[in-house]
Amino acid sequence: GHSEKIKLVNRLKRSRKLRELALMAGRYRRLAAIARHNKIKSGNNELYDTTLGDELSKILPNEQLKLVNPDLELLFKKDYLDKQLLQYEYQGHTKQHKGPIVCCIDGSGSMSGSSEIWAKSVAISLLDIARSQNRNFFVIHFDATWDAANLHTNQFLKTDPYNVAQVIDMAEYFPGGGTLFEPPLTKAREKIEEDAGFHKADIIFITDGCSTVRNEWLEEYLAWKSLRNINIYSVLIDSGYNTATALNEFSDQVMALRDLEKEKDAAALELFGLV
C-alpha cells in the first residue's frame, strides 16, 4: 500500500545502486513495450532472412532502438516512409509464448557494478512483461552455493504480482563469491516440476562467468528439458576472456554481450522479444 511505497522511495534515496537500477529499469520498460508490441515468435522453423520494408511487427531490435534515441528517431521515420527498415522475413507459423518465466541471475563477485545493474534491470522488465500478460515469474540468485535448496529466490505470482518487498529484495540481494551453473539450473527444474504454476516456463540465465557442468548431469538435464519442452535463453556478459562453451551445452540461444556499454539495449530487447 501507500506506506510500502514511501518506504521504497526512502530506500531508493539512500541507495545509489537502487537509484541506478530504477533509472535503467525505467528505460527498459519502454523497450519492453516496443518488444511486446512487435512480438513475433516463429514456429518450428526459425526466422531465416532479413529484408527491407515497413512492417513494424517484424523490424529488427537495432531499428526499434532508434525510437528510444531522440537523435535517430527522425532517421527511423524516414526509413519507415521509404520502406527501408530492416525486418525479419519468417518462414513457418508464428505462435505466442505466454508461459511463466524463471530468471537465474549470477550474483558472483565479478558481477558487482554495471553487470549487476543491467541483469536486474532486465529482470525487472521481464517481471513487467509477466505482470502485463498475467504470467508467473520466479528469480533465482546464484553464486558458488552448491546446494540448490539454499539459493536465494524471489517469487512474483500473477495473483500478487506487485509485491514491493519482493521487488526490493530482488534488487538488493547480492551474494558475491564464485559461480556454479548446476545448482540454479537444478533449482529451476525443481520449481518447474513441483509447482503447477511454472510447468511450461522459459528459463532466462544471465551470467558473466564460466563454470563447467558434469557430463552425467548435463545428459540428464537435457533429457528433462526436451521431455518438458523447456527453452533456456542465456546471456553471457563477456569480460573478454570468457567462453560460452558451457552455456552452449544447455541453452537454446546464447547472447554474448561483448561490450556491455554498447550492446546492452539490443540484447535486452532481443530477450524481451523471446519470452
Side-chain angles (χ1 to χ4, degrees):
H2 190 59
S3 62
E4 283 274 287
K5 286 208 175 86
I6 290 169
K7 257 192 281 189
L8 176 59
V9 169
N10 288 335
R11 265 166 109 160
L12 280 170
K13 278 185 193 147
R14 281 201 307 274
S15 160
R16 190 175 144 236
K17 175 164 100 176
L18 288 182
R19 272 205 308 277
E20 278 182 41
L21 193 56
L23 269 169
M24 190 183 280
R27 172 185 174 77
Y28 280 172
R29 194 160 276 146
R30 297 202 298 278
L31 285 190
I34 294 173
R36 268 208 301 284
H37 180 67
N38 296 334
K39 183 97 171 94
I40 289 229
K41 203 58 185 147
S42 63
N44 307 331
N45 317 19
E46 278 312 310
L47 52 101
Y48 70 103
D49 210 354
T50 53
T51 177
L52 294 171
D54 63 351
E55 281 186 78
L56 292 180
S57 64
K58 293 183 178 179
I59 61 172
L60 268 61
N62 48 349
E63 296 283 25
Q64 296 168 334
L65 283 171
K66 289 178 185 165
L67 285 172
V68 193
N69 181 334
D71 302 332
L72 295 176
E73 204 169 338
L74 215 59
L75 179 63
F76 179 93
K77 287 175 178 158
K78 182 186 180 301
D79 286 346
Y80 173 66
L81 293 172
D82 296 342
K83 294 190 184 355
Q84 289 297 299
L85 291 172
L86 270 173
Q87 61 185 46
Y88 291 125
E89 192 165 25
Y90 285 91
Q91 57 185 7
H93 313 288
T94 59
K95 63 174 183 191
Q96 286 286 48
H97 238 30
K98 284 281 180 275
I101 301 171
V102 175
C103 184
C104 304
I105 301 176
D106 188 342
S108 60
S110 58
M111 285 284 290
S112 179
S114 52
S115 296
E116 183 200 358
I117 300 290
W118 184 82
K120 286 177 174 174
S121 305
V122 164
I124 286 172
S125 305
L126 290 169
L127 171 60
D128 269 354
I129 291 176
R131 273 193 199 123
S132 72
Q133 297 179 344
N134 202 24
R135 301 154 72 173
N136 290 328
F137 188 73
F138 191 68
V139 175
I140 301 168
H141 303 264
F142 66 96
D143 51 4
T145 300
W146 180 247
D147 184 356
N150 293 332
L151 291 174
H152 189 83
T153 63
N154 300 104
Q155 176 159 277
F156 305 90
L157 297 177
K158 49 193 179 188
T159 46
D160 177 26
Y162 213 100
N163 185 322
V164 180
Q166 284 285 302
V167 174
I168 298 176
D169 181 77
M170 191 257 284
E172 288 191 329
Y173 182 78
F174 187 74
T179 315
L180 287 173
F181 287 171
E182 281 184 32
L185 289 165
T186 297
K187 181 89 175 172
R189 172 181 177 170
E190 286 165 1
K191 185 69 182 167
I192 290 168
E193 281 297 311
E194 291 160 18
D195 187 333
F198 284 87
H199 276 356
K200 288 188 164 55
D202 280 327
I203 299 173
I204 307 290
F205 194 86
I206 304 177
T207 181
D208 73 337
C210 295
S211 172
T212 50
V213 293
R214 294 165 301 167
N215 289 342
E216 320 82 86
W217 178 91
L218 180 66
E219 243 169 78
E220 209 226 329
Y221 203 84
L222 291 177
W224 166 76
K225 197 172 151 300
S226 137
L227 178 75
R228 287 279 181 266
N229 200 11
I230 302 292
N231 286 317
I232 300 181
Y233 304 117
S234 295
V235 181
L236 174 64
I237 303 174
D238 193 352
S239 45
Y241 51 84
N242 293 341
T243 72
T245 313
L247 290 177
N248 284 325
E249 292 182 318
F250 57 77
S251 307
D252 295 86
Q253 194 160 334
V254 178
M255 278 164 248
L257 259 181
R258 307 226 175 276
D259 183 336
L260 185 60
E261 289 318 302
K262 283 204 185 77
E263 301 169 8
K264 62 184 183 203
D265 290 357
L269 205 63
E270 191 173 340
L271 214 44
F272 304 151
L274 285 171
V275 295

